[in-house]
Amino acid sequence: MLAHLNRLQYLHGIFISFLMVLILWGFVGAWYQTNGLLNHAPLLNLQLQYRYLLDSQSTQPELIQSDHFLATELNRAPVTYGNVNQWFQLTVTNTADVAGHFNLLLDNPMSDRIRVFQKTGYDHFALLAELGDRVGSVPRALRILPNIEFKLPALSEVEFWVNVQTTGAPYLPLAIIEHSEFHEYQKTLHLIWGTFIGIILLMSAYNMVLYFGVGDRAYFVYICYICTMLLLLGVVHGYGYYIFPETLQRWLSAKIIAINAIAAYFTLQFALYFLRFQPKDGAIFSITRYVSLALLAFTLFALVAPEYIAATLFAAIQVLTYVVTGALIFNKLKTKFRWTKYYLISWIPFFIGAAIGYLLYSAHLEYTFLNRHALMFSVIFEMAFISMALADRLGDTERRRLFQATHDFKLGLANEALLESAIQRHGTHTNRHGLSLITIEISNYDAVIPYVPDSELKGLMLKLGSEFATQLKRTLPLLDIDPDHKKHANVALMRGEMFSYLVNTNKRLLLENTLKNLSNKDNFNPMQEIIPYRIQCIFGAAILNDYSEQPMELIIKAKQSVNQASESGAPYYVFNSDNTENSDRKVRLAQDLGNAIRGDSLELYHQPQFYIHDTTTASSEVLLRWTHPDLGPIPASEFVLIAEETGLIKRLTRWVLNQAFAQSKLLIDSGQSAINVSINISANDLSRLGFVDEIEVLLAKHSMQADCFTLELTETSHLTDRRTFAENFRTLRDMGFRFAIDDFGTGYSSLTYANDHPFTDLKIDRSFIQELLQSNRQIAIVSATISMAKELGLIITAEGVEDESTLQALIRLGCDKIQGYQIARPMPFKDYLNWQYEPEKTSTNIGENLPLPFEEQDEL
């Protein structure tokens, strides 16, 4: 995992370096090619005179010169917004003794209409060109760089009158460039824009790969943001004519404020996702959402409103966007998000570029190449810094994922995955003293933890883990399991109630003495003044004798040592590989169970269930069977426990669900109009994040409906996440799944459990049914259970019904559904299909021919 993280950061670093090279290359090359071209007086032999006039009606220069001239003369270029009709009078004098060939650049591709006149007499003017967005039949090159070409004889002058009509940005920068240099200027701009578009496309493709690879929505929003900026700048600079059809570009130019609003919207959304804000962050999250919605609403308004009105309103909204974005950034700076500083830095060039653009088009800055393209270059540099921020964030994301994969999500302690890695690391480099694994289980965890508030549980468990580490260090050399966790480097959490410690010794006597001394304590609670409960523990250990063993084998042996101590009633036990035939069996079964799941060597049997008042529904419970190729039939209670201890239970449950759904589909295809299949699931599976998604995928895979299934669940007080358990329960019920309390009357099962969760069914355990007719007390218990369950609206199933007399008694008591040998034994799915079409469905001859004790084992 660490190697994978390092590769990702390395590749991201290469990408950013390549991006920076492209930016610097384009920037330096463009500046070098165009330096000095876009000045108002770039040529030594030319003298220029400007006059700025503003008029609301005149469209011909003759009217401007008449005695009734009503235009207002200004000291500088006009910046009035609205329906602008403005004039530029430009006199160009050639003081050289040779003729010149020039281009007059009218550098505002977004102007609606630009008309250029040349004065040919006192009141005579010739129209040289008509350009602009609202003018048809204009060559593409002139739409991108509006200009006219003219020649000026030696020692002569020419007077141009330029009329601009627009509802957008009114300022029209003017520049005169020698004809040959103008072509170089065009090439340079094409080069810059080609580079810019290439960078955007490259970054979009790269971030799309990251989005699909990492699944972080911030990358997708970032793609939307940079593509919107490409659209915005393409329209502003006129290069959209090379990207879009002419009619679309002209429409986009008229809706430039709406595009700005969308860019502002994605700016906010990117800040929200990039900085990992969530609804739990409170007011700042809500404000950002409301401002985002306001931007979307304003976008719709800007599509229909006149541009000058939309532009005036957008100025205020844009300021609000920047204020909210700044608040988001500084909020996360307080929490020391590492990558926030790069994101903050990225706004510096953006604000500089935006400010230069505004000052230029408000005629407060001289028109130069760098000023004209400041916004584009600032966006490129902004993207470079954001890429650096994304690189740092990606590393942090991968570190978080690695931490989640190798640590307990509640306590933050190392889990089995990291413990396995530590065993591998120390087993490879350990010295001659050897390696052992100590396990400490809280034996009364299920009894005590329900009474410990969640706010105090974490502190109790962490302090308990540290206390055991301190005690062990007095006699044993502990090894680091999680070197990055300075406070709890020596402890791992195998499951909710079992701590583990790696020891640099293989001396059995030393281990036994240490565990014996530890076990002498009556109460291991380190917080008795706050949590006044007695905590009891069982201690175990396993020695790594053979360094060719897999780390998981040592973990399994360490768990078995605790189980062995519990089964024998001893306070501690050191695993003995020389004289534990049963332990060897567990190790072998643990290794072979994973292969059996992968190779579909397991099998589902169906035990029919009989609805007393409904003969149309084909009902059954699926029971898991495993016939080992060498050891023969393995009881489900044995290998399910091994699956839970080794972490295979998730894969095992998924296999059972997949097979049950597939077989149910075959039942329907065979002609069954109504079916109900009961499936046993673990309470810890139901408390696992992602469990509902797995079930949804499997249902869709087999085209099955949730209301065809009943999920049977045995109550337990030991849940890894009670909140997720309740949420998953409600979600699956809403999908249509039925839920049954299994083994009612044993363990923790109670009617309170049924009242706390939306159960639909209740199964009375066979221990009450098989002795029903031998005891009036049993009849009273079963009768009361059925009556109370009926009050709760539950369907009652009795399991373990083996004779007709018991069946009739249960019918009289009001039982709804029967399961047991009186109906049929568990049978392979093929036999169950045949059984469905038998005339009399009460035969006990069909099904597995196995010893009774095996059949009575708990099922998955």
Side-chain angles (χ1 to χ4, degrees):
M1 286 185 169
L2 288 172
H4 175 66
L5 173 60
N6 290 334
R7 282 196 298 271
L8 280 174
Q9 291 178 305
Y10 177 72
L11 291 174
H12 212 119
I14 291 177
F15 172 75
I16 293 174
S17 300
F18 177 66
L19 178 64
M20 292 299 294
V21 169
L22 282 177
I23 293 172
L24 291 174
W25 172 66
F27 183 81
V28 173
W31 181 83
Y32 178 78
Q33 287 288 339
T34 59
N35 186 33
L37 291 182
L38 299 186
N39 296 317
H40 284 295
L43 305 173
L44 295 177
N45 296 322
L46 286 185
Q47 292 180 356
L48 308 179
Q49 250 183 332
Y50 290 91
R51 188 180 179 208
Y52 304 114
L53 306 169
L54 187 65
D55 186 71
S56 60
Q57 296 180 345
S58 301
T59 58
Q60 298 296 326
E62 303 91 74
L63 298 176
I64 296 294
Q65 286 207 144
S66 71
D67 294 337
H68 304 287
F69 173 51
L70 298 177
T72 302
E73 184 171 350
L74 305 174
N75 294 326
R76 62 179 183 181
V79 291
T80 305
Y81 285 87
N83 289 303
V84 175
N85 184 61
Q86 62 188 25
W87 288 86
F88 298 82
Q89 181 187 8
L90 174 64
T91 303
V92 183
T93 303
N94 184 4
T95 60
D97 54 1
V98 293
H101 192 181
F102 308 100
N103 287 77
L104 172 61
L105 178 61
L106 311 144
D107 200 0
N108 189 344
M110 296 180 60
S111 296
D112 295 343
R113 186 181 299 272
I114 303 174
R115 295 188 302 159
V116 182
F117 298 88
Q118 180 179 347
K119 187 174 183 179
T120 57
Y122 175 75
D123 57 355
H124 295 284
F125 296 85
L127 179 63
L128 300 182
E130 191 168 7
L131 310 169
D133 273 346
R134 301 294 176 86
V135 179
S137 303
V138 176
R140 182 177 297 174
L142 291 181
R143 291 197 183 277
I144 297 172
L145 281 177
N147 72 93
I148 61 167
E149 182 182 344
F150 69 95
K151 294 181 180 180
L152 191 59
L155 303 175
S156 63
E157 70 177 22
V158 62
E159 185 175 319
F160 296 109
W161 286 69
V162 181
N163 177 227
V164 179
Q165 299 173 27
T166 186
T167 58
Y171 179 50
L172 181 67
L174 301 175
I176 295 178
I177 307 174
E178 287 187 347
H179 183 68
S180 60
E181 292 183 340
F182 181 77
H183 285 292
E184 292 298 321
Y185 178 67
Q186 282 184 310
K187 292 178 182 179
T188 300
L189 288 185
H190 283 95
L191 176 65
I192 293 172
W193 267 92
T195 303
F196 181 65
I197 293 172
I199 290 173
I200 296 293
L201 296 178
L202 180 63
M203 292 185 68
S204 298
Y206 178 73
N207 282 280
M208 185 62 73
V209 171
L210 289 178
Y211 170 66
F212 284 112
V214 179
D216 190 335
R217 195 176 295 181
Y219 295 103
F220 180 76
V221 177
Y222 182 57
I223 294 170
C224 295
Y225 169 70
I226 60 177
C227 289
T228 304
M229 292 306 297
L230 173 63
L231 174 66
L232 176 65
L233 292 172
V235 172
V236 169
H237 289 267
Y239 278 84
Y241 285 106
Y242 279 135
I243 305 173
F244 310 115
E246 182 173 319
T247 52
L248 177 59
Q249 165 67 14
R250 291 168 65 181
W251 183 83
L252 290 172
S253 180
K255 309 301 178 184
I256 192 64
I257 302 302
I259 299 175
N260 274 280
I262 285 293
Y265 169 78
F266 283 122
T267 298
L268 269 184
Q269 290 300 298
F270 178 66
L272 206 62
Y273 285 106
F274 177 80
L275 298 174
R276 290 186 179 145
F277 276 92
Q278 298 177 1
K280 66 180 182 181
D281 290 307
I284 192 166
F285 180 87
S286 301
I287 291 172
T288 305
R289 281 294 174 89
Y290 290 139
V291 174
S292 298
L293 292 174
L295 282 168
L296 290 178
F298 178 79
T299 300
L300 297 177
F301 169 77
L303 290 174
V304 296
E307 186 177 344
Y308 66 92
I309 295 177
T312 304
L313 294 176
F314 180 67
I317 296 178
Q318 193 171 31
V319 170
L320 179 61
T321 301
Y322 292 154
V323 170
V324 173
T325 305
L328 293 174
I329 293 172
F330 285 107
N331 182 277
K332 287 301 180 181
L333 278 175
K334 292 188 298 183
T335 61
K336 297 181 180 179
F337 265 40
R338 291 176 26 146
W339 61 86
T340 309
K341 58 181 179 292
Y342 295 112
Y343 186 50
L344 179 61
I345 293 172
S346 73
W347 279 80
I348 297 175
F350 180 79
F351 277 126
I352 292 174
I356 291 175
Y358 174 80
L359 292 173
L360 173 67
Y361 279 95
S362 61
H364 288 89
L365 275 184
E366 183 182 5
Y367 175 67
T368 66
F369 170 80
L370 294 182
N371 291 343
R372 173 66 176 86
H373 298 89
L375 181 59
M376 182 178 71
F377 287 123
S378 69
V379 168
I380 294 176
F381 278 102
E382 177 201 21
M383 290 188 298
F385 286 118
I386 290 181
S387 293
M388 294 171 67
L390 285 170
D392 200 24
R393 187 178 186 276
L394 176 64
D396 183 82
T397 300
E398 290 301 309
R399 282 187 290 271
R400 285 163 60 97
R401 291 192 175 191
L402 178 60
F403 184 86
Q404 291 169 359
T406 56
H407 292 77
D408 178 77
F409 75 99
K410 278 191 173 181
L411 302 184
L413 296 177
N415 63 12
E416 269 190 35
L418 194 56
L419 175 61
E420 188 176 354
S421 176
I423 294 172
Q424 182 75 45
R425 183 176 74 253
H426 291 300
T428 303
H429 303 96
T430 189
N431 57 33
R432 57 186 176 84
H433 296 300
L435 190 67
S436 299
L437 181 62
I438 290 177
T439 50
I440 303 174
E441 182 180 51
I442 304 174
S443 57
N444 62 337
Y445 183 91
D446 289 346
V448 173
I449 296 306
Y451 300 100
V452 179
D454 290 340
S455 59
E456 297 175 357
L457 177 59
K458 181 176 180 180
L460 171 65
M461 295 298 291
L462 291 176
K463 196 164 184 179
L464 197 57
S466 296
E467 184 68 21
F468 283 131
T470 301
Q471 295 291 329
L472 290 170
K473 284 180 180 178
R474 293 175 181 176
T475 55
L476 297 172
L478 293 189
L479 295 170
D480 285 347
I481 297 174
D482 184 6
D484 296 329
H485 201 320
K486 295 180 180 179
K487 195 172 182 180
H488 302 285
N490 303 115
V491 59
L493 197 67
M494 283 191 181
R495 52 180 186 247
E497 75 283 11
M498 185 180 287
F499 297 101
S500 302
Y501 302 87
L502 268 178
V503 184
N504 191 191
T505 183
N506 58 6
K507 296 179 180 179
R508 176 178 294 275
L509 183 59
L510 179 59
L511 291 170
E512 288 180 345
N513 289 335
T514 301
L515 298 186
K516 179 181 179 181
N517 293 332
L518 277 175
S519 64
N520 287 332
K521 196 172 182 180
D522 182 61
N523 187 356
F524 296 94
N525 186 352
M527 300 173 62
Q528 296 182 46
E529 69 285 356
I530 301 175
I531 305 171
Y533 305 126
R534 183 183 177 191
I535 294 179
Q536 298 171 299
C537 296
I538 300 176
F539 300 83
I543 300 171
L544 184 66
N545 291 314
D546 184 359
Y547 290 104
S548 64
E549 285 185 356
Q550 293 298 317
M552 184 54 68
E553 295 179 27
L554 180 63
I555 294 174
I556 292 171
K557 290 177 181 178
K559 288 181 178 179
Q560 289 174 358
S561 68
V562 171
N563 293 339
Q564 184 66 29
S566 179
E567 291 171 5
S568 63
Y572 67 92
Y573 182 81
V574 178
F575 184 88
N576 187 350
S577 58
D578 299 328
N579 191 26
T580 52
E581 182 179 339
N582 183 52
S583 297
D584 290 341
R585 172 184 170 90
K586 285 188 175 182
V587 172
R588 181 173 182 183
L589 290 179
Q591 294 171 342
D592 293 343
L593 181 58
N595 295 330
I597 296 172
R598 285 191 296 271
D600 285 334
S601 300
L602 305 171
E603 190 174 5
L604 284 188
Y605 276 47
H606 287 249
Q607 183 169 26
Q609 297 172 329
F610 177 67
Y611 278 96
I612 293 173
H613 303 295
D614 178 11
T615 59
T616 62
T617 300
S619 180
S620 66
E621 179 184 5
V622 292
L623 306 173
L624 186 58
R625 296 289 189 248
W626 181 24
T627 302
H628 194 281
D630 299 323
L631 303 177
I634 310 297
S637 58
E638 182 179 6
F639 67 79
V640 168
L641 178 60
I642 291 173
E644 290 176 342
E645 291 178 344
T646 58
L648 288 172
I649 190 65
K650 178 180 176 180
R651 290 170 52 195
L652 187 61
T653 302
R654 188 188 298 116
W655 186 93
V656 170
L657 290 169
N658 183 63
Q659 291 296 316
F661 293 169
Q663 292 177 3
S664 300
K665 178 64 175 174
L666 292 175
L667 271 174
I668 292 177
D669 292 343
S670 69
Q672 292 293 340
S673 58
I675 68 168
N676 184 266
V677 177
S678 295
I679 307 169
N680 289 271
I681 63 169
S682 163
N684 283 329
D685 270 323
L686 196 59
S687 65
R688 177 166 50 82
L689 292 172
F691 182 66
V692 173
D693 295 334
E694 292 175 10
I695 289 184
E696 285 184 313
V697 169
L698 292 174
L699 280 176
K701 174 183 176 182
H702 299 290
S703 302
M704 290 300 300
Q705 298 298 318
D707 57 9
C708 294
F709 303 97
T710 298
L711 303 179
E712 297 189 1
L713 190 65
T714 301
E715 184 186 5
T716 175
S717 64
H718 177 202
L719 291 175
T720 56
D721 190 339
R722 294 180 180 275
R723 184 175 182 179
T724 302
F725 173 87
E727 290 177 355
N728 286 347
F729 202 122
R730 287 193 297 269
T731 302
L732 291 172
R733 277 293 290 123
D734 292 342
M735 289 170 58
F737 282 100
R738 302 179 66 82
F739 273 88
I741 303 177
D742 197 12
D743 298 333
F744 184 81
T746 65
Y748 294 94
S749 296
S750 65
L751 287 175
T752 302
Y753 187 40
N755 190 51
D756 291 341
H757 303 288
F759 281 97
T760 57
D761 296 63
L762 180 147
K763 292 188 72 174
I764 303 175
D765 187 69
R766 61 165 50 99
S767 63
F768 290 90
I769 303 302
Q770 290 174 340
E771 298 180 2
L772 181 66
L773 301 181
Q774 282 74 43
S775 169
N776 290 333
R777 181 182 177 85
Q778 292 290 74
I779 292 177
I781 292 174
V782 172
S783 177
T785 299
I786 292 175
S787 298
M788 288 187 292
K790 291 282 187 182
E791 290 293 325
L792 294 174
L794 302 177
I795 293 176
I796 313 301
T797 302
E799 58 181 349
V801 181
E802 298 182 356
D803 55 67
E804 182 65 24
S805 300
T806 303
L807 171 60
Q808 294 303 322
L810 288 166
I811 292 175
R812 289 193 298 272
L813 291 173
C815 191
D816 300 300
K817 194 163 52 169
I818 303 298
Q819 179 179 344
Y821 292 171
Q822 176 62 21
I823 307 302
R825 292 189 177 194
M827 61 189 74
F829 178 66
K830 182 178 179 181
D831 291 342
Y832 177 64
L833 278 176
N834 296 332
W835 183 86
Q836 288 294 328
Y837 297 100
E838 286 193 355
E840 182 63 41
K841 296 183 181 179
T842 57
S843 171
T844 59
N845 297 324
I846 299 175
E848 57 184 344
N849 183 19
L850 297 171
L852 186 60
F854 175 80
E855 293 168 350
E856 292 180 348
Q857 294 289 343
D858 293 334
E859 308 293 347
L860 178 67

